[in-house]
């Protein structure tokens, strides 16, 4: 979780959310024995970050953190999906024309303009981030696994324990014979 903390603390919310999404894949969350061996402080820290990026109340905690980061840092990378969602929501919910007229709904235009202005502000930020050669190399050389590949690897690390997990494993084996591994990687 130190990687997530670094990203979140530096205002890189998009990478923090990507890391959280990866760690919350079912093939990872099912690894109870592995999680039990992790340092308790790291697990608690991860839970705290998950709460900070929680979608509850339309990502209220994240939005507050984003505003605070924007005031404290010159380089802030927002969670891009939320920016797009906000623009899409405004566009879909607000009518382009006022009811029963040909008049343009300038309120909708104004809200879209505010969203785009915020996006431009983030684009204009100066990010003095130094590339870490080791991380770059790991990312470039890593094999990208499919969902089935992650499940296959997960069950190789830790056998299914819960009934639900056993059912998923059985279904996985029926769908994916163990001898056929060609479609486990992209």
């Amino acid at each position: 979780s130190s990687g997530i903390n670094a990203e979140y603390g530096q205002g890189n919310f998009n990478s923090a959310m990507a890391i959280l999404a990866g760690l919350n894949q079912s093939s990872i969350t099912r690894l109870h024995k592995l999680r039990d061996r992790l340092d308790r402080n790291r697990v608690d820290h991860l839970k705290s970050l998950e709460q900070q990026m929680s979608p509850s109340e339309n990502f209220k905690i994240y939005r507050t953190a984003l505003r605070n980061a924007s005031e404290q840092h010159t380089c802030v990378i927002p969670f891009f999906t939320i920016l797009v969602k906000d623009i899409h929501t405004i566009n879909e919910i607000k009518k382009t024309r006022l009811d029963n007229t040909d008049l343009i709904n300038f309120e909708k235009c104004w809200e879209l303009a505010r969203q785009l202005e915020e996006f431009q502000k983030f684009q204009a930020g100066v990010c003095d981030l130094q590339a870490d050669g080791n991380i770059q190399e790991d990312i470039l050389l890593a094999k990208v696994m499919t969902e089935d590949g992650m499940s296959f690897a997960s069950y190789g690390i830790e056998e299914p324990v819960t009934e639900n997990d056993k059912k998923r494993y059985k279904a996985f084996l029926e769908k994916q014979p163990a001898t056929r591994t060609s479609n486990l990687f992209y």
Side-chain angles (χ1 to χ4, degrees):
S1 69
S2 61
I4 302 169
N5 187 39
E7 300 305 332
Y8 193 90
Q10 292 178 3
N12 188 344
F13 298 99
N14 200 64
S15 291
M17 186 60 92
I19 293 168
L20 282 172
L23 291 173
N24 283 309
Q25 292 285 319
S26 62
S27 54
I28 302 297
T29 58
R30 63 164 296 280
L31 299 173
H32 300 286
K33 292 177 186 174
L34 179 64
R35 196 172 343 137
D36 290 344
R37 292 193 315 236
L38 294 175
D39 179 288
R40 191 86 241 138
N41 289 333
R42 289 183 182 258
V43 173
D44 291 344
H45 189 70
L46 178 61
K47 287 179 183 176
S48 171
L49 287 168
E50 286 173 339
Q51 289 171 347
Q52 292 172 22
M53 298 298 282
S54 167
S56 65
E57 297 183 60
N58 196 19
F59 291 90
K60 181 180 179 180
I61 298 170
Y62 157 74
R63 291 175 189 278
T64 301
L66 180 64
R67 252 189 321 277
N68 292 340
S70 297
E71 294 168 3
Q72 297 171 5
H73 301 287
T74 57
C75 176
V76 175
I77 303 169
F79 180 36
F80 188 70
T81 303
I82 293 178
L83 280 174
V84 173
K85 177 187 131 326
D86 289 346
I87 291 170
H88 176 75
T89 300
I90 293 167
N91 193 46
E92 290 298 312
I93 290 177
K94 302 279 184 176
K95 294 179 181 179
T96 303
R97 304 257 180 215
L98 296 175
D99 288 338
N100 302 321
T101 71
D102 286 336
L103 299 175
I104 295 173
N105 182 355
F106 282 104
E107 182 183 342
K108 174 182 179 176
C109 296
W110 179 251
E111 287 184 38
L112 287 170
R114 267 196 352 243
Q115 289 295 321
L116 294 174
E117 182 180 43
E118 182 179 359
F119 182 69
Q120 288 176 324
K121 179 182 72 176
F122 292 127
Q123 280 185 316
V126 178
C127 296
D128 186 27
L129 303 174
Q130 301 299 315
D132 184 321
N134 293 329
I135 293 174
Q136 279 183 318
E137 185 177 347
D138 288 347
I139 291 171
L140 291 172
L141 298 177
K143 290 185 177 182
V144 179
M145 299 178 107
T146 64
E147 189 72 33
D148 284 346
M150 290 189 299
S151 292
F152 185 76
S154 175
Y155 289 120
I157 293 169
E158 191 174 300
E159 292 183 11
V161 178
T162 66
E163 285 306 312
N164 189 34
D165 208 20
K166 289 177 184 178
K167 287 178 189 175
R168 280 195 315 214
Y169 182 58
K170 183 179 178 187
F172 172 75
L173 289 179
E174 289 170 356
K175 184 176 107 179
Q176 179 70 42
T179 57
R180 197 166 149 223
T181 58
S182 61
N183 63 344
L184 299 179
F185 296 94
Y186 285 108

